[in-house]
Amino acid sequence: MRLSFNKIASALVLLAGILFFLSCERDVPYGPTDIDCNDCYTTRPEWGPLNVVMTINAEKPYVPLVVYRGDFNDNNIEYVDTSYWADYWVDVPVDKEYSIVAKYKRGDKIIKVVDVSKLKVKYTSSDCQEPCYYFSGGYLDVRLRD
């Protein structure tokens, strides 16, 4: 059985389109109502993780970033760093909104990518074997959308 070039090309374009749309989705480990009881705390945490995903590749091997408490226009800097990894974590005080600004260089231009999320601590007395606190939110996506 011979497949024509057009059929193969169409299948590859379809596959590339599907992979493109799947790659743009944020890989948040749990939905807004899902709880991983292994990640629960018996005492209320005062600090928690912000998880940031960014574009790291051969052209952009590192990304300077600034984490702001609240709106980045208010200039309340919480943390300044440079990430060499596509998946970046930083611990911050909970129950606050955070903005992140990642700076990418493309030729002579600087491209700033911004995202905002609130890191909350929630409580459950019925979803796990024991009552516990867990984190909600705190996922920021500052990947480039080429």
Side-chain angles (χ1 to χ4, degrees):
M1 181 166 122
R2 268 180 69 156
L3 293 175
S4 71
F5 176 76
N6 288 342
K7 287 183 180 180
I8 293 172
S10 296
L12 289 175
V13 168
L14 178 64
L15 178 61
I18 291 170
L19 290 175
F20 173 77
F21 285 110
L22 290 175
S23 69
C24 291
E25 290 299 314
R26 181 60 218 270
D27 184 25
V28 177
Y30 309 107
T33 59
D34 295 335
I35 299 171
D36 182 353
C37 295
N38 293 322
D39 289 335
C40 277
Y41 300 86
T42 54
T43 58
R44 189 177 195 287
E46 294 182 24
W47 291 73
L50 282 183
N51 174 228
V52 183
V53 291
M54 59 197 73
T55 301
I56 299 287
N57 55 32
E59 182 184 345
K60 295 161 190 62
Y62 62 90
V63 177
L65 51 96
V66 180
V67 177
Y68 297 89
R69 189 178 294 185
D71 188 292
F72 72 97
N73 289 315
D74 295 338
N75 206 32
N76 294 322
I77 296 174
E78 182 73 27
Y79 200 77
V80 178
D81 201 1
T82 298
S83 178
Y84 295 86
W85 305 102
D87 194 21
Y88 179 85
W89 294 80
V90 61
D91 281 337
V92 294
V94 297
D95 293 326
K96 299 188 181 337
E97 184 174 81
Y98 293 93
S99 304
I100 188 162
V101 177
K103 294 181 183 179
Y104 297 94
K105 187 169 182 176
R106 182 178 286 156
D108 294 337
K109 296 181 180 178
I110 299 292
I111 299 168
K112 293 182 181 180
V113 181
V114 179
D115 197 8
V116 178
S117 182
K118 184 170 186 178
L119 177 62
K120 299 182 251 180
V121 172
K122 294 188 174 182
Y123 179 78
T124 182
S125 60
S126 60
D127 293 320
C128 298
Q129 288 181 335
E130 308 239 346
C132 65
Y133 295 91
Y134 62 97
F135 297 114
S136 175
Y139 298 96
L140 299 135
D141 186 345
V142 290
R143 292 178 288 180
L144 284 175
R145 306 284 191 231
D146 291 324

